[in-house]
DNA sequence: AACTCCTTGTTGACTAGGAAACTAAATCGA
DNA sequence: TCGATTTAGTTTCCTAGTCAACAAGGAGTT
């Protein structure tokens, strides 16, 4: 075949299609809790790490420091996250969830569970396991911490 | 387990991780041709359809009319796409690739092939086929033309 | 101490896209 | 044929991110 490949000939195309759909639907779900997908991700990461500086969070979420800074600001405005000055280092800050923020975590987590079930529930158990396995393989082989240049 | 699900417990999370990495790497590749991923997608769609109005392209690419309008403008500025007034309908336009634009298609397609190979080449043939199959299933069951609300 | 270099976090300029308002033209119905 | 509705495309405003410049503080060296 000398002909030019179609968009749909590439696995990456379908990947993006599905990934976008999953995120879009999840976005719709969490919007009821007045939260975005990025905000959920931020809060869930923080839940494991708090209190933690923005820099660590940026690394974990593979976003730039700038993005984290703005994301944190939005979450503080919503009263879900709090920022405290570090004592040892006067440049540094520590982020934590507020009580209100922490209370949201189980609710959002359950929406995430549901979203995954909604989407991947159509697969057989075996298919689902295979998919997870493949995604792991791809992530590991590529060393996907992803690549925020910052 | 009464505990709260981790981000990494969800297939959607890994999906987005891999999808982003694929797109990011592809973006890097096509940037050498001074083109973005969206622009490639636009041009490749147009290649099959030209001459075609923006509205059809919006549908195919599942983007809003506004986004297409701007994308077309950028591509015209680069001399890769041309716009002609329709004769039958004075509101409508037809988009086509320019000679220069058409000449880029095989080059970009080959970069897309390469990107897919780079990423999914680590999979066994069977794994790759299974992945494609699963993505198809997910797309079809969900009727993923995606959902540009516009 | 003073100088240099590194690190932390914020900011501003820029980009891409969505939502909705808008303009112009076509179509439909009386 | 004229008004109402629909359709095609553009434009404006908004959000969310990157990138690069920056200020301020820490760390190491002499």
């Amino acid at each position: 075949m000398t002909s030019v490949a179609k968009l749909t000939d590439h696995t990456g195309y379908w990947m993006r299609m599905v990934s976008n759909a999953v995120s879009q639907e999840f976005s719709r779900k969490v919007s009821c809790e007045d939260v975005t997908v990025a905000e959920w991700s931020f809060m869930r990461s923080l839940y494991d790490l708090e209190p933690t500086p923005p820099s660590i969070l940026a690394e974990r979420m593979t976003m730039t420091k700038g993005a984290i800074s703005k994301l944190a600001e939005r979450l503080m405005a919503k009263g879900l996250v709090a920022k405290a000055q570090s004592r040892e280092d006067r440049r540094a800050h520590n982020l934590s969830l507020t009580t209100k923020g922490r209370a949201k975590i189980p609710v959002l987590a359950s929406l995430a569970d549901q979203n995954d079930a909604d989407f991947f529930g159509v697969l057989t158990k075996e298919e689902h396991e295979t998919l997870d396995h493949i995604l792991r393989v791809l992530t590991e082989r590529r060393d996907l911490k992803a690549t925020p240049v910052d």
Side-chain angles (χ1 to χ4, degrees), chain A:
Chain A
M1 50 169 192
T2 38
S3 76
V4 165
K6 285 175 288 195
L7 291 173
T8 52
D9 288 341
H10 298 116
T11 306
Y13 173 87
W14 295 103
M15 199 86 187
R16 198 179 46 176
M17 187 75 88
V18 173
S19 170
N20 285 348
V22 174
S23 293
Q24 220 172 304
E25 172 60 20
F26 185 49
S27 166
R28 204 190 56 70
K29 285 196 177 81
V30 294
S31 72
C32 302
E33 289 292 322
D34 193 31
V35 156
T36 68
V37 175
E39 285 165 3
W40 152 248
S41 178
F42 185 107
M43 290 171 71
R44 185 61 188 79
S45 300
L46 193 48
Y47 185 74
D48 287 337
L49 300 169
E50 62 175 347
T52 198
S55 47
I56 299 295
L57 225 39
E59 197 181 311
R60 294 298 183 96
M61 295 181 64
T62 64
M63 293 175 69
T64 60
K65 294 177 301 170
I68 293 294
S69 187
K70 291 165 192 167
L71 199 39
E73 192 178 38
R74 274 177 260 147
L75 284 164
M76 287 175 8
K78 291 185 186 177
L80 301 172
V81 162
K83 179 164 65 176
Q85 267 253 329
S86 158
R87 294 225 180 144
E88 309 93 56
D89 185 336
R90 283 193 302 158
R91 293 166 303 180
H93 299 280
N94 282 308
L95 299 168
S96 323
L97 293 166
T98 61
T99 306
K100 182 176 163 195
R102 202 168 301 112
K104 264 192 191 296
I105 296 286
V107 180
L108 295 170
S110 133
L111 290 177
D113 290 341
Q114 203 184 309
N115 196 57
D116 232 52
D118 285 356
F119 256 93
F120 301 104
V122 299
L123 300 176
T124 65
K125 184 168 182 197
E126 203 197 330
E127 282 174 333
H128 197 158
E129 276 167 10
T130 306
L131 177 57
D132 280 342
H133 171 252
I134 289 173
L135 292 173
R136 297 276 178 144
V137 169
L138 291 171
T139 306
E140 282 162 18
R141 300 270 176 101
R142 274 269 152 182
D143 188 22
L144 297 189
K145 322 277 177 187
T147 24
V149 192
D150 211 4

